[in-house]
Amino acid sequence: MKFSDDEYDENSNKLMASILAIFSGILMGYLASNTIDASYIFLTIIIAGILSLKIDGIHHVISLIFFILTCVIFNFFTGPLLGLSLATLIICILAEYIDEIGNDNSKFYKNKFLKFFFDYRLTLEFTVLILALLGVYSSLTGFNIPYVHFIDFSVFIYFLTFDLGYIIAGVIFQKFRKNSVVS
């Protein structure tokens, strides 16, 4: 996903961005079709991206098309989608929407903490952490909040791994970009 974004935004390479977007869309669709918790994460990213007008390139549209096609192939619309909690999805979408609005927003960059917070899009991470901790607490005590689905703690770890991969991909992209400019 990050390589696709950077190819589009940094290199203006629509072809490579689109090819990478295909893989991204297929992988997200496959994961969303196989676990409800992954569905929350990827639907959140897509819906918040649309709401915040961050779907701004052909690569995003291609990724969305392949996400939907993969979801159709793997029965997402008759499986995981039916088990989603609308309340949990809305909570996650609001968190990601805040991240999308704050990211690359110079108003927030005057404050070092907010710059760091929004550069790394930590609102959704903290939201997923809270839902995961509530999931652990729920498994121990039976606690629940009506209409809210708590997330398995392992999904929080997977989500952090996803974000770490996104950050590492950005570093790798910038390193190769600098090397190609110097050459």
Side-chain angles (χ1 to χ4, degrees), residues 26-79:
I26 290 170
L27 185 57
M28 289 188 316
Y30 178 77
L31 292 170
S33 295
N34 283 286
T35 69
I36 286 178
D37 292 341
S39 299
Y40 286 117
I41 302 298
F42 293 120
L43 285 174
T44 290
I45 291 168
I46 290 167
I47 294 169
I50 291 169
L51 292 174
S52 62
L53 305 176
K54 296 281 183 129
I55 305 292
D56 59 358
I58 187 67
H59 64 301
H60 289 145
V61 174
I62 289 170
S63 184
L64 180 59
I65 289 168
F66 277 87
F67 172 82
I68 292 169
L69 289 174
T70 304
C71 285
V72 168
I73 291 167
F74 288 100
N75 299 316
F76 170 77
F77 297 103
T78 58

Side-chain angles (χ1 to χ4, degrees), residues 4 7 15 20 42 44 48 54 56 83 91 100 104 111 118 121 128 132 134 141 145 153 156 161-163:
S4 175
E7 279 295 334
L15 177 62
L20 293 168
F42 293 120
T44 290
K54 296 281 183 129
D56 59 358
I91 290 167
E100 290 290 352
D104 296 330
N111 179 297
F118 287 121
R121 301 169 184 249
V128 172
L134 285 170
T141 66
I145 299 173
F153 195 80
F156 173 68
T161 305
F162 168 81
D163 276 352

